[in-house]
Amino acid sequence: MDGTFTNGSIGVETSLSDVHTLREVLPLLFLPESTADAGKLAEILGVYAQANYWYCIVTMFFVFVTLQSFNIPGTVFLNVMMGCLFGYLEGVSLGVLSGTCGAMIAYTISSRWGGGVVNWVVRKTGMESKMTWFSDQVAANDNIDLLLFLVFLRISPVLPNWFINAVSPHVGVPPMPLAVATAIGIAPQTFLAVHGGLMLRELISSGQSHPLGPREWCMLSVLAICVLIPLWAKKRFNKKSDPQESRQTSRSPSVAHEEPVRQPSPASVEKPTTGRESSVAPEESTNNDE
């Protein structure tokens, strides 16, 4: 990446090897309008990232966490940029760490100051039934089952991520299982976005993309297994969703052997006597004795 770049807006030819500071790179940034423009922009940012590695890592981390904490769109684009600038290892690691930290910050903000706001948003969006279902599932599962259930929610599109982050503290989800489930659940989509950014960089720089190697096939196999987790988890949690029904089913064989309770016939039921009748009855018995 030791070429030259001519910025059309100012007409200045700049050597990419001289791009080391933010002041030097800002005039070179532009909005790409074609594939060639996108390739040149990726080349500029790649050179700057090599010269300021940790600065770019920290900046990407804080930008990602800010977007994730306040549920602002744009995290997918950042994952693609991480793959384009840093590659697989750094891109996936940074994306998973940033996404997990952002989700936990959103969890903390909601638990401390967002109770009324969450209830108002849930009512306005008509998601009361989903919140009730979420609360029932959390109450019915604990420990490893709760962790698997949260991973299932992160991977599958049953509930949106902003809903999980905001509602979790108000339905009894502990922070540690949510953090672990978030890191596991967002890993597949992070890998796909990072891989897309890396392939885009190779396609733009060399004009052709390299075939998938053993490492990529192993990662795709892991992703395929992760995709099957929601199907298995759905069957598991559907069986445990109604504990009262399961208890009634377990008791049904013993109830079948019990004798039915006999109802008294109408003739054998004595009519209740009023106070006047009870006072007249002793007088009649006295006259009969006489």
Side-chain angles (χ1 to χ4, degrees):
M1 294 184 182
D2 193 11
T4 59
F5 171 66
T6 302
N7 192 338
S9 61
I10 58 178
V12 177
E13 185 174 302
T14 305
S15 175
L16 293 181
S17 59
D18 297 333
V19 179
H20 299 294
T21 64
L22 187 61
R23 181 178 298 179
E24 294 172 350
V25 75
L26 283 179
L28 303 178
L29 300 181
F30 62 99
L31 186 63
E33 298 179 355
S34 62
T35 306
D37 292 343
K40 185 59 67 175
L41 183 61
E43 188 177 2
I44 295 171
L45 295 176
V47 172
Y48 180 77
Q50 290 180 359
N52 304 272
Y53 179 79
W54 288 109
Y55 179 80
C56 291
I57 290 287
V58 174
T59 302
M60 295 283 287
F61 174 79
F62 279 105
V63 172
F64 198 112
V65 169
T66 302
L67 296 180
Q68 187 77 6
S69 300
F70 298 98
N71 300 309
I72 302 174
T75 55
V76 177
F77 173 75
L78 291 180
N79 283 328
V80 174
M81 185 177 294
M82 290 174 187
C84 189
L85 297 179
F86 306 117
Y88 278 115
L89 181 60
E90 295 88 343
V92 175
S93 301
L94 183 60
V96 172
L97 178 62
S98 304
T100 304
C101 292
M104 297 313 299
I105 291 176
Y107 175 95
T108 304
I109 293 175
S110 177
S111 63
R112 291 183 177 272
W113 304 288
V117 177
V118 170
N119 292 330
W120 180 80
V121 172
V122 169
R123 288 195 303 268
K124 287 296 182 180
T125 55
M127 302 182 71
E128 294 93 341
S129 59
K130 292 185 177 181
M131 185 173 181
T132 303
W133 175 80
F134 189 19
S135 177
D136 294 340
Q137 292 294 329
V138 172
N141 299 282
D142 56 356
N143 299 330
I144 188 64
D145 290 333
L146 179 59
L147 178 62
L148 293 176
F149 173 68
L150 294 175
V151 173
F152 159 69
L153 291 182
R154 288 297 190 186
I155 296 177
S156 64
V158 175
L159 295 176
N161 285 329
W162 68 265
F163 183 87
I164 299 173
N165 298 337
V167 174
S168 291
H170 306 288
V171 296
V173 177
M176 185 57 66
L178 181 63
V180 176
T182 301
I184 298 174
I186 67 176
Q189 57 185 354
T190 302
F191 171 79
L192 292 177
V194 169
H195 178 73
L198 188 61
M199 297 295 290
L200 178 63
R201 184 181 68 181
E202 294 178 354
L203 180 63
I204 293 173
S205 60
S206 61
Q208 59 181 1
S209 59
H210 299 287
L212 296 176
R215 181 180 60 179
E216 287 78 11
W217 280 112
C218 291
M219 294 298 296
L220 290 177
S221 301
V222 173
L223 292 178
I225 296 175
C226 293
V227 171
L228 296 176
I229 290 178
L231 301 177
W232 171 79
K234 184 177 181 180
K235 295 180 180 179
R236 178 184 179 91
F237 296 119
N238 284 341
K239 293 179 181 179
K240 302 179 64 177
S241 59
D242 194 358
Q244 295 181 355
E245 182 179 355
S246 61
R247 285 197 293 267
Q248 292 176 359
T249 305
S250 61
R251 294 177 181 178
S252 58
S254 60
V255 174
H257 296 288
E258 295 180 359
E259 296 182 357
V261 179
R262 296 180 179 179
Q263 299 294 336
S265 61
S268 63
V269 178
E270 296 182 358
K271 296 182 179 180
T273 59
T274 61
R276 185 176 179 180
E277 293 175 350
S278 62
S279 62
V280 174
E283 294 179 359
E284 296 177 355
S285 61
T286 305
N287 294 330
N288 294 330
D289 293 340
E290 292 176 356

